[in-house]
Amino acid sequence: MIDYHVSDGVCLLRLNSPPLNAIDLAMLEALRKAIARASGESEVRGIVITGDAEHFSAGADVGLFRQIASADDAVHISRAFQEAFAAVEDSSKPVVAAVAGKVIAGALEFAMACHFRVAGRRARFSMQEINLAINPGAGGTQRLPRLVGPGKALKMLLTAETIGAGEALELGLVDAVCEGDQLIERARELLRSAPVPQKTSRRTDKLGDHAATRAAFDEAEKLAAGMRPEIIAPRKIIDAVKAGLEESADAGLVREQTGFAECMATPAAQNKIYLFFAIRQTSKVPDLAEARPLRVARAAVIGMGTMGSGIVQALIGAGVPVVARDEDEAALAKGTERIQRSIQKRVSQGRLSGDRAEEMLGLVSTTTRWDEIADADLAIEAVFEDVDVKRAVLREIERACRPEVVVASNTSTISLDVLADAMDRPERLVGMHFFNPAQRMPLVEVIRRAETRSDVVATAVGLAKRLRKTPVVVRNREGFLVNRVFLPYVKEAFWLLEEGADAEAIDRAMVDFGFPMGPLTLMDMAGLDILVATDRVLCLAFAWHGPLSQIAIRLVDDGHLGQKRGSGVYKYEKGDYTPHHSPSAQGIVAEVRAGQGRSPREVPPREITERLVLRMVSEAFRVMEEGVAGRESDLDVAMTLGTGFPDFRGGVLRYAHDLGLDRVVGRLDALADKCGERFSPCRLLRERKGA
Ligand code: NAD
C-alpha cells in the first residue's frame, strides 16, 4: 500500500494503491506506521512522500462516504484522516510531498500536512469537496488559509477553483516546481539543505492582515449567499475557517469534523454522492462485459453544422484525427472557423497552450468528397434531422468506407430502425447522441438496436469515455431517453402558459427548483422550431404525451423561433441573451387564450413545479418499464448531465423515491383527473408503489 525505501539518508514513501492511490483507513494506518518507522531510523534525515510519476493520489476514497450511517461514523472518519495527517505534520524529521497530476481535496489536504511541497509543472490543485455538498474533513479548512491566506483559501474552498503549479508556487501552496520526471530529485535536494520542519497548522505568516481577513469573510459570505440553501457546506466551511483563525487550529479541526457530519446527513450530499458513483457505473453494462471495443485511430464526421463542428472539436481534443465532410463548402468554412474561434478562446483564457491548440487544429481536415473518408474507423453523421437525408448519407458512408467501419448517428429523435433499414450492414449502426455544445456537454447517449453488434456498442462507449464524457447506454426508441423524458416537462410549461400562467413565473419556479434556467428560456435558446419538429416525431410514438400547446405552434408560424431570431417567448437584444418581456409574443399568447375562453391567472410556484416535474417522473417510469434504460441510476445521470436537472436532488427517479412513490401516484392520479390522461401513472409505477 505504501512502499518504503531508504537511500542516502532519505526515506521515500511511495503510495502504491492502484489505480488511483485513493486514501482509505488502511492507507492511513500504513502511513502512520511508515512515519513512525522512518522517525525511529537514525540514518533517515528526511522523508519524501510521493505517488507515481503522473499522479499523486485521488484523495479520500469516496467509497468510505457510503459507509457512513451516523454522525458518529462521520466524525470517526474525519478524525482518522486528521490524526494520520497530524502524525505526518508532527514528524520530527522534515517531510516533503512530491506531487504530480491533479491534486484534489483529500490529496491536497495530505500534501498540505507535509512540511514542504514540490510539484510537477503540470500539477493542478483544487479543493473539490463543495461539489459533493460537503466540507473538507481532513484539515483542509485549517491548513489552506495558513498557506495561501484566508481570501484565496475561502475562494478555493467555496468554488472548487483549480489552480496550476505556477500559481500554486506564487501563492506559497508549493515550495518548488520542476519537470515531472525530476520530482524526487528536487525533493531530495530540498532535504539536503537540512530544513527545519514547519508545521503548516502552526504557521501565521499569511494571517496577519486583519482588514484583509475581514474582507475575505465578507466575500465568502457573498459567495455562500448565492448558493443553494439545501447545500450547507459553504456555511460549515466558513465556520471552520473562522474558528481556526479566531480560536485555534485545533478548534477549527473539531468544527471541521462536526461540519462534515452535518453535511453528510443532508439529502443534498447523499444525492451528490449517489450520482458520483452512478456516473462511474454507466459504462459498466452487464452484457457488454465481454465485448472488445474496436480501434478508432481515425474518425469522420459528416455534416459540419452546429453539432458536427462541436463533435469534431471533442474528437481532436482527445487526440483523434478527423476528416469532416459537408456537401456545402460554406458550411465547412463556417464550421472550421467556429472550431478555431472556440479553441482560440480557450488559449486566451489560459486553459490551453498555444502548442496544444496548434496540435489539435492539425488533426482536422475538411472535404466535400466522399472518397476522402475512406480511412475512417468510425463515422458520425450529424446532418439535418431528416429521414431521407440521413438514410442517403448512411448509404454513402457504407459505400465510401471499409466494411468494418462503425457508423454512428447523432439523430435526436428518429428511431435507428428507420435508418438501419437503408443500410447493407445495419448491425454496425449505433446512436451517439451528443448534446449542444458537443465539445462541452458531458453526456453522450449511446443507442443500441437489438441487432447492433456488442463490439460496436462497446466502441461507442469507449470513444465517449476517451472524449471524457459520460456514456449512458439505452435501447432504441423514439427520442431515446433524455429528449423523451424532457419533452413532456417542456410541453407542460407551454400548457400552463396557455392556461393563464405567466411565462416568467413558470421559469422562475423551475430555477427555484434548481434548474440553471427555466424551460421557456431554454426553448428560446434551443429553438422553438426544434421543439415543434421534435414533438412531431415523438407524439406519433407516445400518444399519451398529448398535443403541443397552440402557443408554441403559433410562435413558430409567426417567425418567433427563439434567440436566433431575437424573438421567441421572450425578446432579445442583439448580441445579448437576456430574456425581456415580448409584447408581440404576449399578443399571440393572449389570442390563443382568448380563443379558448381563458384569461391570465396567478399559478402558485408549487403547482408549476409539481406539474412540470411529475410529467418527467411519470415518463421516466415508462422509460424504465420499456427497458429503454438499464438502471434507474443511468436515467438519473442522463437527466442531470443532459438537461440540468438539479444534481443535489439526485435525478428524476431519485427525486420520486424521495417524495415517496405512494405520494407520487396519488398526485399523478389527481392531476390526471384535473388535467388529463397524460398524467396517468404507468403499470410499473403503480406496481412499485408501496414496494
Ligand atoms: P445543422 O443544420 O447546423 O447542420 C447540418 C449540416 O449537415 C449542415 O452543415 C449541412 O450542410 C450538412 N449536410 C446536409 N446534408 C449533408 C450531406 N448529404 N452530406 C454532408 N453534409 C450534409 O444541424 P445540427 O443542429 O448540427 O443538427 C445535426 C444533427 O444533430 C441532427 O440530427 C440533430 O437532430 C442532431 N442534434 C442537434 C442538436 C442541437 O441542439 N442542434 C442536439 C443534439 C442532436
Side-chain angles (χ1 to χ4, degrees):
M1 189 154 270
I2 298 182
D3 297 339
Y4 186 101
H5 180 77
V6 179
S7 69
D8 296 334
V10 171
C11 171
L12 183 68
L13 300 182
R14 192 181 287 282
L15 310 186
N16 182 7
S17 181
L20 297 172
N21 284 337
I23 308 168
D24 57 13
L25 298 182
M27 187 185 276
L28 293 179
E29 187 51 31
L31 175 66
R32 292 170 74 126
K33 283 196 179 132
I35 293 285
R37 181 175 160 195
S39 302
E41 290 201 42
S42 55
E43 64 168 305
V44 171
R45 279 182 292 104
I47 302 166
V48 176
I49 301 180
T50 194
D52 51 56
E54 300 289 321
H55 177 242
F56 174 51
S57 156
D61 175 3
V62 183
L64 278 174
F65 298 169
R66 289 214 287 198
Q67 295 162 19
I68 293 175
S70 66
D72 282 351
D73 288 351
V75 168
H76 170 75
I77 286 187
S78 170
R79 197 180 290 147
F81 275 82
Q82 289 182 357
E83 287 174 359
F85 292 170
V88 174
E89 191 176 69
D90 290 343
S91 160
S92 55
K93 299 181 179 175
V95 184
V96 185
V99 301
K102 286 186 187 157
V103 187
I104 297 173
L108 181 52
E109 292 178 284
F110 186 4
M112 290 192 295
C114 299
H115 303 129
F116 306 97
R117 284 147 295 280
V118 176
R121 209 167 289 292
R122 287 168 55 189
R124 296 175 70 71
F125 301 86
S126 61
M127 293 299 290
Q128 300 263 343
E129 288 86 344
I130 190 86
N131 288 339
L132 289 181
I134 57 178
N135 64 314
T141 61
Q142 303 309 305
R143 293 193 178 95
L144 191 58
R146 287 171 168 81
L147 285 172
V148 303
K152 186 70 181 179
L154 281 161
K155 181 156 179 252
M156 287 179 73
L157 290 161
L158 292 173
T159 66
E161 177 194 13
T162 298
I163 61 170
E167 189 177 356
L169 183 64
E170 260 171 49
L171 288 166
L173 183 58
V174 301
D175 304 284
V177 172
C178 62
E179 294 308 325
D181 56 358
Q182 285 158 24
L183 266 181
I184 306 299
E185 191 36 48
R186 186 70 190 82
R188 283 177 174 278
E189 194 183 311
L190 204 152
L191 286 173
R192 272 196 288 276
S193 64
V196 180
Q198 307 185 53
K199 292 188 186 193
T200 310
S201 64
R202 299 289 172 265
R203 283 176 63 165
T204 54
D205 45 312
K206 294 277 173 70
L207 306 181
D209 186 339
H210 293 296
T213 302
R214 223 178 7 256
F217 280 111
D218 288 347
E219 200 49 44
E221 292 292 349
K222 269 191 230 150
L223 276 174
M227 294 183 194
R228 296 289 313 187
E230 293 85 350
I231 298 173
I232 63 168
R235 189 68 275 135
K236 300 295 153 193
I237 287 169
I238 295 174
D239 287 351
V241 173
K242 203 172 257 177
L245 300 187
E246 290 177 359
E247 298 170 46
S248 66
D250 288 342
L253 288 173
V254 173
R255 202 64 68 86
E256 208 181 59
Q257 292 167 15
T258 50
F260 176 69
E262 287 172 54
C263 288
M264 284 299 300
T266 60
Q270 292 300 318
N271 288 334
K272 285 190 173 232
I273 291 167
Y274 157 77
L275 282 174
F276 177 91
F277 287 103
I279 285 171
R280 276 146 193 81
Q281 206 188 8
T282 60
S283 58
K284 300 188 181 86
V285 182
D287 72 323
L288 292 182
E290 304 293 318
R292 299 250 322 246
L294 305 163
R295 201 170 95 95
V296 180
R298 282 184 72 78
V301 171
I302 317 301
M304 189 66 146
T306 309
M307 292 307 289
S309 50
I311 295 168
V312 167
Q313 206 182 313
L315 286 163
I316 58 177
V320 182
V322 192
V323 49
R325 194 239 168 218
D326 202 295
E327 56 182 8
D328 179 2
E329 289 275 9
L332 284 175
K334 246 173 97 179
T336 306
E337 197 194 310
R338 242 191 325 260
I339 295 169
Q340 284 168 341
R341 224 181 312 124
S342 163
I343 290 180
Q344 219 40 60
K345 190 166 160 201
R346 288 174 59 199
V347 173
S348 58
Q349 290 168 339
R351 287 161 53 214
L352 194 69
S353 73
D355 287 354
R356 180 93 181 87
E358 230 165 83
E359 215 175 277
M360 279 169 67
L361 290 170
L363 291 173
V364 198
S365 62
T366 59
T367 183
T368 53
R369 296 169 52 135
W370 281 113
D371 57 354
E372 292 190 17
I373 70 160
D375 287 347
D377 301 306
L378 177 139
I380 304 177
E381 74 75 15
V383 299
F384 303 133
E385 188 75 350
D386 177 295
V387 171
D388 293 335
V389 174
K390 284 200 190 287
R391 283 166 62 102
V393 163
L394 295 178
R395 273 195 298 268
E396 292 289 356
I397 294 174
E398 283 193 315
R399 218 167 285 151
C401 297
R402 284 172 282 118
E404 311 82 69
V405 70
V406 170
V407 184
S409 171
N410 183 47
T411 174
S412 24
T413 51
I414 304 169
S415 163
L416 292 193
D417 292 342
V418 177
L419 302 179
D421 206 31
M423 296 175 67
D424 290 335
R425 295 179 291 279
E427 70 283 359
R428 308 196 75 83
L429 175 69
V430 65
M432 285 189 83
H433 182 214
F434 290 80
F435 292 75
N436 189 16
Q439 71 275 22
R440 278 212 304 276
M441 288 291 280
L443 179 70
V444 178
E445 271 182 288
V446 173
I447 302 119
R448 64 196 298 190
R449 301 170 62 237
E451 296 77 11
T452 309
R453 290 169 54 124
S454 298
D455 55 358
V456 167
V457 184
T459 306
V461 168
L463 181 65
K465 286 181 70 176
R466 207 166 141 197
L467 306 186
R468 294 171 178 252
K469 299 194 184 287
T470 300
V472 170
V473 178
V474 300
R475 296 203 176 269
N476 181 45
R477 186 85 160 93
E478 289 80 354
F480 319 120
L481 190 168
V482 173
N483 284 348
R484 174 171 168 192
V485 174
F486 199 58
L487 184 68
Y489 161 86
V490 172
K491 284 173 77 169
E492 200 59 32
F494 278 96
W495 270 110
L496 269 166
L497 187 61
E498 193 169 310
E499 286 173 27
D502 174 50
E504 281 151 50
I506 295 171
D507 276 347
R508 202 176 321 112
M510 298 322 299
V511 170
D512 288 347
F513 180 78
F515 276 95
M517 67 176 76
L520 301 173
T521 307
L522 183 70
M523 281 304 107
D524 269 0
M525 200 170 110
L528 293 173
D529 51 333
I530 304 277
L531 168 66
V532 170
T534 303
D535 182 60
R536 207 172 289 141
V537 177
L538 297 202
C539 74
L540 291 177
F542 311 114
W544 61 86
H545 281 193
L548 181 60
S549 158
Q550 277 303 312
I551 292 177
I553 295 166
R554 280 282 315 275
L555 283 170
V556 172
D557 286 349
D558 288 14
H560 301 281
L561 303 187
Q563 283 179 9
K564 58 188 166 192
R565 291 284 174 84
S567 171
V569 175
Y570 302 101
K571 200 172 76 173
Y572 302 88
E573 305 298 339
K574 212 173 161 49
D576 178 13
Y577 296 134
T578 315
H580 299 284
H581 177 78
S582 162
S584 50
Q586 199 49 48
I588 292 174
V589 171
E591 264 177 47
V592 172
R593 283 179 186 161
Q596 298 173 359
R598 298 181 195 271
S599 45
R601 76 177 172 105
E602 201 165 306
V603 182
R606 273 187 54 189
E607 186 182 331
I608 296 172
T609 310
E610 180 176 65
R611 275 179 58 172
L612 267 62
V613 177
L614 286 189
R615 282 295 292 115
M616 262 192 289
V617 167
S618 157
E619 196 64 21
F621 275 99
R622 286 184 189 267
V623 160
M624 295 311 301
E625 181 177 280
E626 291 175 16
V628 169
R631 285 174 288 232
E632 291 200 353
S633 58
D634 284 356
L635 189 145
D636 283 338
V637 167
M639 294 308 290
T640 45
L641 297 186
T643 73
F645 187 93
D647 59 356
F648 64 86
R649 298 192 189 275
V652 176
L653 290 169
R654 174 103 171 174
Y655 176 71
H657 288 295
D658 280 351
L659 283 180
L661 297 192
D662 279 356
R663 186 168 149 207
V664 167
V665 170
R667 290 305 304 148
L668 282 172
D669 280 335
L671 285 166
D673 282 347
K674 186 176 152 205
C675 305
E677 269 307 288
R678 63 185 185 280
F679 280 98
S680 271
C682 65
R683 177 187 51 77
L684 177 72
L685 183 45
R686 286 200 191 283
E687 279 172 13
R688 295 284 305 275
K689 176 184 114 158

